[in-house]
Amino acid sequence: MMTQWILLAEQTSEGGLFDLDATLPLMAIQFLLLATILNILFYKPLGKAIDDRASYVQGQIAQAKKQKEEALALAQRYEQELKEVRKQSQGIISTAQSEAQKIVSDQIQQAQQEVIAERQKASEEIEAERVEALSALEQEVTALSRQILEKVIGLEFAQ
Amino acid sequence: MDLANTLNLLHSVNLAAIEVGEHFYWEIGKYKIHGQVFLVSWFVIGVLLVASIAATRNIQRIPTGFQNFMEYVLDFLRGLAKDQIGEKEYRPWVPFIGTLFLFIFVSNWSGALIPWKLIEIPEGELSAPTVDINTTVAFALLTSLAYFYAGISKKGLGYFADYAQPSPIMVPFRAIEDFTRPLSLSFRLFGNILADELAVGVLVLLVPLIVPLPLMILGLFTSAIQALIFATLAASYIGEAMESHGEEHHD
Amino acid sequence: MEPLVAAASVIAAALAVGLGAIGPGIGQGNAAGQAVEGIARQPEAEGKIRATLLLSLAFMEALTIYGLVVALVLLFANPFA
């Protein structure tokens, strides 16, 4: 079999396994042509598509990041505002409370004062009435004692 | 003797036959070319062109179907070039290295998958273009030219000064390397693919059915790896020609 | 072809492939063994190790192929025939 092959190879007077001829440069030219055509048809458009997509995705990511940052800033601002509003309401509540406290204490004081004044007045009146009563009593005592004297001792002594 | 008779019988029914070193000659002027190589290479080129047109006919931002596949291929080719040449310089070389890979890969696989032998031509037989030494030598020489071009366009004639870079003793070795590189590139590819076809051919000659299948699958694997190796080596030669020794010391 | 040259060529072809397969065989065995060791030690690096292994195996394979090419030259394109 082997000799058969060898003979076969021998029979083809020209060529053989290592037959370098014009195929080589033509193949090289053909290959370069193919590379050029594929560059126009395949590498450039598809590469551009890939790059475009990459930059698009990059842009989307950057945009999303920016939006996220904005949202975060907004949330922070709202938080701040909320805090402020809470503080304000706290202030309002506390002032209202203190005002109410003041009113309450004022009224209590007033009431106390009124009570005190009333009591004072009452005691004064009592005192006055007592004095009056005492003086009236004294007069009566005087009159009575005079009468007693008149009756007992007689009128002239009495004078 | 029985075996020999059987083999002869197989031979005679032409189920399997091995032909080596026969070519279907075309004559152009006074030059001869191997027609069978060009026929199959046109088929390969046609496949590549159809594939790229199909992929880029309607490019969409969200790729579907075939565009997706070809984008994967392009990504792979770009990664191959980028790994060897470097992020900065790889872009202009993608078409060259990518086409090397695609052409060799499609050639090898078409040689392994498509039963070219069934198509009768007057002389020789159709097979993968990479089985012909002309093709592989052409690619290897193009690779040599490419890395010389890359080195000289990057550093001018200072490229050759780099031959004496670590020490002047290196000059002859580097010069010899310039010859051994295309030689080993072309013979590696040629030898692997031819060995594959021959091994499958011999097995088919002995046992025509089923038994050659594992070897054929191994052949598919080897031919894919060979395409990858050819492209990787071409890229690494180009990258090596362009990398500057001066800068390396700085960073 | 002279019978002597044919015989010598066939023997030389067999030797070219056979001897040429020894070195790469040992080398490939070494490389594959080391790769398995590496994978066993670091299973997460399997993909990278496998890719590198395949590439280097193909490089070693090329050496045998050179022997094969020489054998093919002797068989099919014998310069002494």
Side-chain angles (χ1 to χ4, degrees):
Chain A
M1 187 84 76
M2 194 65 82
T3 45
Q4 208 176 346
W5 292 351
I6 291 170
L7 286 177
L8 206 97
E10 204 184 12
Q11 272 161 8
T12 56
S13 55
E14 49 187 1
L17 203 51
F18 297 90
D19 179 28
L20 292 173
D21 56 15
T23 313
L24 197 159
L26 278 181
M27 188 53 100
I29 292 164
Q30 182 175 293
F31 175 81
L32 288 180
L33 270 180
L34 176 68
T36 324
I37 294 171
L38 279 191
N39 188 30
I40 296 165
L41 275 184
F42 174 51
Y43 299 110
K44 263 191 191 151
L46 219 53
K48 193 168 155 291
I50 290 176
D51 292 343
D52 282 354
R53 183 177 316 119
S55 62
Y56 171 76
V57 169
Q58 211 72 33
Q60 289 292 86
I61 288 175
Q63 205 179 331
K65 211 173 265 179
K66 217 176 80 189
Q67 275 175 352
K68 192 182 157 196
E69 264 164 30
E70 271 172 22
L72 275 181
L74 214 61
Q76 207 154 17
R77 223 180 68 204
Y78 283 150
E79 197 111 336
Q80 196 79 26
E81 271 176 27
L82 201 67
K83 220 181 266 177
E84 242 160 64
V85 168
R86 204 168 279 163
K87 212 191 273 175
Q88 264 177 9
S89 69
Q90 202 84 34
I92 291 170
I93 289 174
S94 71
T95 50
Q97 265 177 344
S98 65
E99 262 171 41
Q101 199 74 34
K102 217 172 99 189
I103 291 170
V104 167
S105 63
D106 270 5
Q107 276 183 351
I108 288 176
Q109 210 161 3
Q110 211 178 335
Q112 270 176 343
Q113 269 170 357
E114 265 173 38
V115 166
I116 288 170
E118 208 102 327
R119 202 193 279 162
Q120 199 144 9
K121 218 169 94 186
S123 67
E124 268 170 19
E125 264 172 34
I126 290 169
E127 193 68 22
E129 266 171 41
R130 203 183 63 170
V131 168
E132 208 173 314
L134 270 180
S135 67
L137 210 63
E138 220 162 296
Q139 274 175 1
E140 239 168 272
V141 165
T142 323
L144 270 178
S145 56
R146 189 176 293 250
Q147 272 177 353
I148 292 166
L149 270 175
E150 275 174 9
K151 273 199 186 145
V152 173
I153 317 169
L155 199 64
E156 46 272 62
F157 281 103
Q159 277 162 348
Chain B
M1 273 304 113
D2 270 355
L3 188 72
N5 280 340
T6 333
L7 289 182
N8 278 336
L9 188 76
L10 283 175
H11 226 21
S12 59
V13 295
N14 210 4
L15 230 174
I18 299 176
E19 294 176 24
V20 173
E22 276 189 75
H23 302 294
F24 176 31
Y25 284 102
W26 291 348
E27 302 211 2
I28 296 179
K30 55 178 183 168
Y31 299 109
K32 284 181 176 174
I33 60 170
H34 297 171
Q36 87 275 14
V37 176
F38 281 99
L39 286 176
V40 181
S41 78
W42 291 338
F43 168 79
V44 170
I45 290 171
V47 166
L48 289 177
L49 289 183
V50 167
S52 26
I53 289 169
T56 55
R57 194 189 37 190
N58 180 19
I59 291 181
Q60 270 152 5
R61 181 180 285 150
I62 298 165
T64 50
F66 200 63
Q67 188 195 344
N68 212 344
F69 172 72
M70 290 308 273
E71 277 190 18
Y72 172 77
V73 170
L74 183 55
D75 256 352
F76 169 77
L77 296 175
R78 280 182 161 190
L80 202 160
K82 202 198 295 181
D83 282 349
Q84 303 298 331
I85 300 180
E87 181 76 50
K88 251 191 299 181
E89 319 262 13
Y90 81 95
R91 271 172 190 277
W93 291 104
V94 169
F96 180 70
I97 289 158
T99 313
L100 266 182
F101 177 83
L102 288 178
F103 188 90
I104 294 172
F105 180 79
V106 176
S107 297
N108 294 351
W109 273 40
S110 78
L113 288 177
I114 301 174
W116 290 113
K117 271 100 189 163
L118 297 183
I119 302 171
E120 293 275 339
I121 53 173
E123 222 184 332
E125 56 188 14
L126 293 176
S127 61
T130 35
V131 170
D132 195 280
I133 188 113
N134 288 289
T135 317
T136 62
V137 169
F139 291 170
L141 288 180
L142 279 179
T143 304
S144 292
L145 287 181
Y147 79 74
F148 274 120
Y149 169 75
I152 290 171
S153 70
K154 181 88 186 295
K155 308 178 204 165
L157 286 177
Y159 169 67
F160 292 105
D162 273 359
Y163 276 32
Q165 200 32 251
S167 78
I169 302 171
M170 291 302 285
V171 174
F173 293 105
R174 296 288 302 272
I176 289 172
E177 210 174 35
D178 282 334
F179 292 99
T180 56
R181 273 174 178 178
L183 197 71
S184 71
L185 263 186
S186 55
F187 273 117
R188 182 182 299 118
L189 183 58
F190 166 72
N192 266 292
I193 307 306
L194 180 69
D196 238 44
E197 290 216 346
L198 279 185
V200 171
V202 168
L203 259 188
V204 169
L205 200 66
L206 296 176
V207 193
L209 290 177
I210 302 181
V211 177
L213 262 182
L215 204 67
M216 288 167 137
I217 293 167
L218 183 72
L220 280 184
F221 179 70
T222 331
S223 38
I225 296 268
Q226 287 309 317
L228 178 66
I229 282 182
F230 199 105
T232 307
L233 278 180
S236 91
Y237 292 160
I238 291 167
E240 196 185 313
M242 284 201 293
E243 85 179 4
S244 34
H245 291 280
E247 279 172 32
E248 271 178 354
H249 300 295
H250 289 300
D251 50 39
Chain C
M1 187 186 283
E2 250 179 86
L4 186 64
V5 174
S9 299
V10 171
I11 290 174
L15 285 179
V17 178
L19 293 181
I22 294 175
I26 294 171
Q28 288 190 336
N30 261 339
Q34 299 281 334
V36 170
E37 209 172 285
I39 293 172
R41 196 170 296 165
Q42 240 178 319
E44 68 272 11
E46 193 192 340
K48 238 177 179 175
I49 290 176
R50 194 196 294 136
T52 320
L53 175 70
L54 284 183
L55 213 67
S56 30
L57 283 189
F59 277 119
M60 296 177 219
E61 190 76 29
L63 300 177
T64 322
I65 299 296
Y66 297 157
L68 181 78
V69 168
V70 171
L72 291 177
V73 171
L74 289 174
L75 291 183
F76 299 115
N78 199 324
F80 309 110

